[in-house]
Amino acid sequence: MQIRPTWGRAFGRLSRLQAIQASGSITSRRAVCKLGGSGGSGCIVHAGTCRGNCTVQPVATFRNPMRSDVAQVGSTKIAVVGTGAWGVVVASQMASQGRAVTLVARTRDEAALLSSTRQSPRVPGVALPDTLRVSANLQSVISEASIVVMVVPAQSMRLNFGLVSPHLLPGAVVVSATKGLEIATGLRMTEVIASFTGTDHPICAFSGPNLAAEIAAGKPASSVVACADDHVGQLVQAILTTPSWRIYRHHDVIGVELGGALKNVIALAIGIAEGLEAGENAKAALVTRGLAEMSRLGQALGGEALTFAGLAGLGDLVATCSSPLSRNRTFGLRLARGERLADLIETSGSVAEGVPTTRAALHVASRMGVELPITALLGEVIDGTLDPREAGARLLGRRAGRERVDDSARASLSPSG
């Protein structure tokens, strides 16, 4: 079996690592870095970009059971864990295309309600497909699924996947459709998942400009699935694609995940600017400089600059910052109007993902020595120690520098990069 071109690009200068053997076994390797400890398979990219501070060591191999023809997706059993709006929409979209999908509910009562009414209170006016099964029997559903899609809040991913992982089929593919960073550790969602699975399961990240209400309504949309194994990526791509929802695939798991997580932070800032009536010029500047912050931190963690110009970066940022459907933008808008964070959480029933992600991003940026001026000031606003208007004045008062494409971004954009 030949290494596919996109797989080769994922490894870049590490082409000497033959990752896929003819037998279909995948060799997993761990990067041990003097700058930031050790990491899972996602650190392979980092090993090529941290100026010789990483050594790459083989740690295990696993048999990839997903080598069957991508055309056979109709017979693949899929479990979707999470009955929030996004979980319901993802499950419904796949089921509408004839996929064998089961939505895992939190309780028997919730499963009975969704099954009997074929409606979710989180997605008003959208009927669940008749073919979509709903069950609260997590063990039974997970133990039969070849693909498990996790669609739970970022701060509860560890708890939820801890319940899922003991029941996974050998080699089952796990897809994270959650955008965020774990606040206690700064880990991405695929890293949280990998802390349970090790190298026993392929893990994908699913992201992009995907406002749930629009996708539920069948409006045109595009998203991206990232996986180090392009064959697994093709399978997940085929399973998620619908006539109105175009799915691309990518090899840069780190960049795709960080784009989806960090854009929520910038959306909060845009909401605050909107609430302060700062104007379109100010919002355009925030989006542009916010994208620069996302890319800067992403590259420091091993992501690729060009990824942030794609669906998971710029695409998701534009959708989240411009749409009134965006919860993060709405949270920022209400903060600017004087509402306290505690009151916002109480009235909405949950916190927008951008709030904990801001804190996690600042922790990671401090560890990596990366400057995030917008995110830093936003953290003070969220904590209630800085007035939103003062935050704007401090941003404008920063010393102006050159707007430039840094060396790593230039390398990614060059024909040979």
Side-chain angles (χ1 to χ4, degrees):
M1 178 177 173
Q2 299 272 333
I3 295 180
R4 292 173 171 80
T6 49
W7 179 273
R9 286 200 301 271
F11 286 94
R13 290 180 293 277
L14 301 178
S15 57
R16 67 186 183 279
L17 301 179
Q18 184 79 13
I20 304 178
Q21 309 300 331
S23 64
S25 294
I26 297 176
T27 300
S28 175
R29 297 178 183 266
R30 182 175 300 273
V32 179
C33 180
K34 298 173 187 175
L35 299 179
S38 62
S41 59
C43 286
I44 290 173
V45 176
H46 184 216
T49 60
C50 70
R51 298 179 176 87
N53 285 287
C54 283
T55 58
V56 182
Q57 305 167 355
V59 291
T61 60
F62 64 87
R63 180 79 179 178
N64 180 4
M66 304 307 295
R67 296 188 68 216
S68 58
D69 194 328
V70 171
Q72 297 175 356
V73 295
S75 60
T76 301
K77 289 188 176 181
I78 307 159
V80 176
V81 180
T83 53
W86 187 224
V88 169
V89 168
V90 170
S92 296
Q93 290 294 306
M94 289 189 290
S96 71
Q97 300 305 304
R99 316 287 185 241
V101 184
T102 301
L103 180 63
V104 180
R106 286 168 285 195
T107 65
R108 290 181 180 178
D109 287 346
E110 182 182 46
L113 179 66
L114 292 172
S115 296
S116 61
T117 64
R118 311 308 297 175
Q119 295 277 340
S120 167
R122 296 180 177 86
V123 193
V126 177
L128 303 184
D130 293 337
T131 54
L132 176 62
R133 292 182 60 240
V134 185
S135 172
N137 191 335
L138 183 141
Q139 179 177 348
S140 174
V141 174
I142 299 301
S143 64
E144 295 180 355
S146 297
I147 297 178
V148 176
V149 185
M150 298 297 299
V151 201
V152 298
Q155 304 315 311
S156 66
M157 176 64 84
R158 185 173 296 276
L159 173 64
N160 281 284
F161 195 73
L163 299 174
V164 167
S165 61
H167 310 299
L168 289 169
L169 282 175
V173 175
V174 182
V175 181
S176 169
T178 297
K179 300 174 182 178
L181 299 175
E182 188 176 52
I183 191 169
T185 63
L187 294 178
R188 295 174 283 109
M189 293 300 99
T190 61
E191 292 179 305
V192 173
I193 291 167
S195 70
F196 290 91
T197 65
T199 58
D200 294 336
H201 299 270
I203 305 172
C204 302
F206 182 52
S207 195
N210 32 44
L211 297 164
E214 291 190 0
I215 291 174
K219 295 184 177 181
S222 290
S223 300
V224 60
V225 60
C227 187
D229 181 350
D230 192 52
H231 189 74
V232 174
Q234 288 180 58
L235 176 72
V236 177
Q237 177 186 35
I239 282 173
L240 287 165
T241 295
T242 76
S244 60
W245 197 7
R246 184 176 178 86
I247 310 299
Y248 290 83
R249 67 183 188 277
H250 211 300
H251 60 269
D252 183 12
V253 177
I254 298 173
V256 165
E257 273 196 287
L258 288 174
L262 298 175
K263 59 86 187 181
N264 286 331
V265 176
I266 306 306
L268 283 171
I270 288 293
I272 290 173
E274 182 81 18
L276 296 177
E277 299 182 351
E280 300 305 317
N281 290 332
K283 288 188 288 183
L286 275 175
V287 167
T288 307
R289 299 313 303 162
L291 182 61
E293 288 193 14
M294 291 164 56
S295 180
R296 193 155 58 236
L297 183 58
Q299 290 177 77
L301 292 171
E304 299 176 14
L306 200 55
T307 303
F308 293 89
L311 288 167
L314 180 60
D316 203 358
L317 184 64
V318 169
T320 307
C321 290
S322 61
S323 173
L325 298 174
S326 165
R327 292 181 67 248
N328 289 282
R329 177 180 174 275
T330 301
F331 251 65
L333 184 67
R334 294 174 65 182
L335 279 173
R337 291 174 177 171
E339 295 186 56
R340 295 187 309 118
L341 180 62
D343 295 334
L344 285 172
I345 295 172
E346 183 178 350
T347 56
S348 64
S350 63
V351 65
E353 285 287 5
V355 173
T357 300
T358 297
R359 293 166 175 152
L362 289 172
H363 172 74
V364 173
S366 175
R367 189 180 77 228
M368 301 299 294
V370 176
E371 188 179 22
L372 305 177
I374 297 172
T375 307
L377 289 172
L378 182 61
E380 293 184 50
V381 172
I382 289 172
D383 290 339
T385 59
L386 181 65
D387 180 84
R389 291 185 184 277
E390 176 62 22
R394 281 172 54 179
L395 269 180
L396 289 173
R398 284 172 49 84
R399 183 177 64 86
R402 293 180 60 201
E403 184 179 43
R404 64 187 179 87
V405 179
D406 65 23
D407 293 340
S408 54
R410 187 179 295 111
S412 295
L413 292 167
S414 69
S416 60

